[in-house]
Amino acid sequence: MSIERVLGDADKGLPADAAGATIAEFLARDPRLSELWTPLLVLDQGALADNIAFLAGWVAARGLELMPHGKTTMAPALWRRQLDAGATGITVATPSQLRVAVEAGIPAVMLANQLAQAETIRWAAEAAAAGTRIWSWVDDPAAIDIVDRALGGDPARPLEVLVDLGRPGGRTGVRSVGGAVALAERIAASPAVRLAGVAGYEGAVAHGRGPEGLAAARAFVDEILAAHDAFRPLYDDGDVLVTAGGSAYPDVVGAAFAGAAAGGDSARFVLRSGAYVVHDHGYYRKNSPFEGAGLLPAARGLARVVSRPEPGLALIDAGKRDFPYDEGLPIPLYALAADGERMPLPGAELTKLNDQHGFLRVAPDSALALGDLVVFGLSHPCTMFDKWRLVPVVASLDDGLFDPSAVVVDLIETRF
């Protein structure tokens, strides 16, 4: 993000008098969070830093690498903080996201997807030739044919690819270790691509933190390691990546990978957890092994009561275009009255979101009034940031909750 970026009326949540100022000029005013317009997504600087440092240290202590999934935030400023803390690259999901990372100067980028369009293949090859280290995934021999045709069959620099291992009924990926070996043989025979390792996403085949979910995740990681072992005669002398590890099972993946590394395997074992950077109050609070043991929710949603049409119901000015809702609706934490008094909301529940309204059910005798501010915990970071061009940051938490009088110390720009 350039601090010289000029703010405009499309930067929702900022006050009207911010338009025309640069980000640097706006921040120099020491704006208060209470001056910004609702609805808002707000980040906490201290929790962000702690989360980034925690996972960086956890991964390093096990001799592993971290290439966090940048699609979670699509915020190059946060990516750089992750790299500064020790991440060895950033992972993305689409060619457009790859372009954002390359243009942001990220030196190493993993595309956790298959390139299947000649134009994006040629662009990726040019970006790699210009100095960005790029890996992509592949699960189909037809993809190698497409690369061969796009690059002329014998390029000066082959694309580096990882075989994507999956499961029947899952998402992408070759459906068996045997199929993965056959694909690796096809890759090794093509001058247009280089076999650079094996990848998978255990979150697509395992669900929940119960015994069955943990066992399924471990069994899948064992298959990734088995494929890697079977690929050994096909590898060249370059480095090899073995990668898995989203935000629900990093402990399972980390234990298996650390065991392989301790056994003398020279591969680069890479986790890709991305949601950890902000954690959450919903999905990952329930499913992360690090909840309460290293990670804190670093984001809140702020919304204002705009209607009290009947007892027990308040309408807020935030909806699906503002807050995530695919892995659970926002969770009301507390409210602030016009005089700044903090108001508990016992039993309150957000039951529905329209495009721009939220339906907040409260006790029939609740004192919640028109104009009061409601602070929400949010669920699922991966659909939290895409609704915002700029996200304000405050310095620290106040007893685990945001203080709306806090000074805005940064604006994080997203690039969706």
Side-chain angles (χ1 to χ4, degrees):
M1 177 193 71
S2 171
I3 59 174
E4 298 308 314
R5 178 190 183 283
V6 176
L7 303 173
D9 56 6
D11 295 316
K12 70 177 184 179
L14 299 185
D17 63 2
T22 66
I23 289 175
E25 290 168 343
F26 177 70
L27 294 176
R29 303 176 189 175
D30 291 333
R32 300 283 176 173
L33 190 58
S34 56
E35 297 172 33
L36 275 60
W37 296 7
T38 56
L40 277 176
L41 173 67
V42 187
L43 302 178
D44 175 75
Q45 187 92 292
L48 283 173
D50 288 347
N51 289 348
I52 290 171
F54 168 77
L55 195 61
W58 189 92
V59 169
R62 288 156 180 78
L64 310 176
E65 294 184 36
L66 178 64
M67 294 187 185
H69 228 314
K71 72 174 177 63
T72 301
T73 64
M74 285 306 295
L78 294 181
W79 298 348
R80 293 187 191 98
R81 295 185 194 185
Q82 292 168 300
L83 292 170
D84 289 344
T88 54
I90 294 295
T91 301
V92 296
T94 69
S96 293
Q97 293 174 1
L98 175 61
R99 186 172 64 182
V100 170
V102 170
E103 292 179 354
I106 305 302
V109 190
M110 184 185 303
L111 174 65
N113 221 328
Q114 189 159 243
L115 288 166
Q117 181 179 358
E119 289 78 8
T120 58
I121 290 168
R122 286 192 286 267
W123 181 88
E126 291 171 0
T132 304
R133 187 82 185 271
I134 296 173
W135 301 265
S136 63
W137 294 9
V138 61
D139 70 0
D140 193 321
I144 309 306
D145 297 336
I146 295 173
V147 173
D148 285 342
R149 291 193 297 270
L151 300 184
D154 190 13
R157 181 170 183 164
L159 286 180
E160 298 191 274
V161 297
L162 309 178
V163 173
D164 178 10
L165 183 66
R167 281 277 187 84
R171 198 163 66 183
T172 62
V174 185
R175 282 354 199 190
S176 68
V177 172
V181 174
L183 178 56
E185 292 171 343
R186 171 69 179 88
I187 293 168
S190 169
V193 290
R194 172 183 175 259
L195 178 63
V198 59
Y201 175 49
E202 73 287 348
V205 301
H207 306 284
R209 293 288 301 180
E212 291 185 3
L214 295 173
R218 178 56 200 253
F220 182 66
V221 178
D222 287 344
E223 289 184 9
I224 291 175
L225 292 172
H228 165 57
D229 191 57
F231 291 179
R232 292 184 191 278
L234 303 171
Y235 289 140
D236 61 18
D237 293 334
D239 58 356
V240 169
L241 274 63
V242 180
T243 178
S247 295
Y249 303 102
D251 55 334
V252 175
V253 176
F257 281 4
D265 195 315
S266 61
R268 297 171 59 184
F269 291 94
V270 180
L271 272 66
R272 303 188 310 276
S273 306
Y276 79 96
V277 69
V278 292
H279 198 45
D280 72 9
H281 276 92
Y283 181 81
Y284 286 110
R285 169 162 278 185
K286 296 176 183 176
N287 290 288
S288 171
F290 304 131
E291 162 60 26
L295 298 182
L296 291 170
R300 302 289 188 279
L302 305 185
R304 199 167 301 279
V305 177
V306 293
S307 179
R308 285 289 264 123
E310 59 191 58
L313 175 64
L315 276 294
I316 59 168
D317 60 356
K320 293 179 179 179
R321 291 176 173 172
D322 309 299
F323 295 161
Y325 56 90
D326 58 312
E327 291 287 358
L329 293 176
I331 301 162
L333 301 177
Y334 69 103
L336 284 164
D339 60 4
E341 182 180 353
R342 184 169 296 182
M343 182 189 312
L345 295 172
E349 180 184 10
L350 195 68
T351 60
K352 183 170 66 172
L353 289 176
N354 291 159
D355 291 347
Q356 309 286 187
H357 291 88
F359 291 71
L360 181 63
R361 290 291 175 182
V362 295
D365 60 351
S366 173
L368 192 66
L370 193 70
D372 288 350
L373 187 72
V374 183
V375 179
F376 290 90
L378 305 174
S379 180
H380 200 204
C382 294
T383 52
M384 192 181 293
F385 286 79
D386 60 320
K387 299 158 181 62
W388 298 88
R389 294 176 53 174
L390 292 170
V391 184
V393 182
V394 296
S396 63
L397 292 170
D398 175 25
D399 297 327
L401 299 171
F402 278 101
D403 178 355
S405 67
V407 173
V408 176
V409 297
D410 201 358
L411 292 174
I412 298 294
E413 183 178 22
T414 66
R415 296 288 301 280
F416 285 96

